[in-house]
Amino acid sequence: MDEKRARFEAQVLTHLDAAYRFARWLSNAPGDADDVVQEAVLRAYRGFDALRGSDAKAWLMAIVKNCHSTALKQRQRQGFVPLPEENDARDGYAMTATTPSPESDSIRSDEQRTLDRLLAALPEEHRTVLMLREIEEMDYRQIAQITNVPIGTVMSRLARSRAALKARWLQEIEGEPRAVR
């Protein structure tokens, strides 16, 4: 241990309890007092070489008071704006979230993964017509052109793919095996 630290501990840190009591008396909260004392001890150590005389307790208490004043001014500068009440006619809208909650995001993600898994289990020709009709919102004629099959085939594949998707979904949510065509 170096000489400065040893002298600091012997002369200043012996008054740490008194510094905390004083900071606690100045502040309204124990957490604020902890912060003030910590900052005061750091400042005291940095300026320890400037200490003249033997009254280290009074010197440390002055630093605690100055640290408290500085912290108080910083809090006042930050300002305090109270949050509006939910049913406040003027600013109540600010309390209502416009974005989905984490819970609804999680549910939506789970549903999307389930849908992706169920769609992947369908045969490709059924998945293709289902995606073109339901996701891309194309009409039967357009789907027939894209898949190069008659409109009647598009309609029957679409009906079978919807039925298969529904059966797989019901099987998954009920946990019971169902016949899937």
Side-chain angles (χ1 to χ4, degrees):
M1 181 177 334
D2 67 335
E3 180 187 334
K4 178 182 176 182
R5 182 173 171 189
R7 285 186 307 115
F8 180 79
E9 287 179 1
Q11 292 179 345
V12 178
L13 288 188
T14 56
H15 306 293
L16 195 57
D17 289 337
Y20 179 77
R21 282 190 302 273
F22 183 53
R24 182 66 181 98
W25 183 81
L26 291 171
S27 349
N28 293 330
D32 292 343
D34 291 340
D35 293 343
V36 165
V37 171
Q38 182 177 5
E39 181 63 25
V41 169
L42 288 172
R43 286 185 189 181
Y45 185 74
R46 282 189 223 121
F48 184 60
D49 293 331
L51 175 62
R52 300 290 178 241
S54 61
D55 197 2
K57 183 176 182 179
W59 180 70
L60 179 60
M61 296 298 189
I63 295 173
V64 167
K65 184 178 181 313
N66 290 338
C67 287
H68 171 72
S69 296
T70 301
L72 189 62
K73 287 176 188 171
Q74 285 176 345
R75 277 195 300 275
Q76 287 172 346
R77 252 187 261 132
Q78 289 174 350
F80 173 74
V81 178
L83 291 174
E85 295 295 322
E86 276 187 61
N87 50 4
D88 180 0
R90 193 180 64 155
D91 294 324
Y93 70 90
M95 296 300 290
T96 306
T98 57
T99 57
S101 69
E103 179 183 13
S104 62
D105 275 346
S106 178
I107 290 169
R108 198 169 296 116
S109 294
D110 287 345
E111 289 171 346
Q112 184 63 48
R113 281 191 297 272
T114 301
L115 179 61
D116 291 345
R117 187 177 59 254
L118 294 174
L119 284 172
L122 293 175
E124 184 178 346
E125 63 269 2
H126 291 168
R127 188 173 55 243
T128 302
V129 295
L130 188 64
M131 296 302 289
L132 290 173
R133 177 68 188 136
E134 302 301 334
I135 304 299
E136 299 302 324
E137 299 178 348
M138 297 181 138
D139 62 33
Y140 295 147
R141 186 184 48 76
Q142 292 171 319
I143 298 169
Q145 282 180 318
I146 293 169
T147 58
N148 201 25
V149 296
I151 289 179
T153 305
V154 168
M155 293 169 65
S156 65
R157 284 182 184 173
L158 190 55
R160 277 190 242 121
S161 62
R162 286 176 178 156
L165 185 62
K166 180 180 178 181
R168 290 175 194 272
W169 179 72
L170 288 172
Q171 178 182 354
E172 183 155 315
I173 63 168
E174 294 174 358
E176 296 177 13
R178 289 190 180 265
V180 179
R181 292 189 230 168

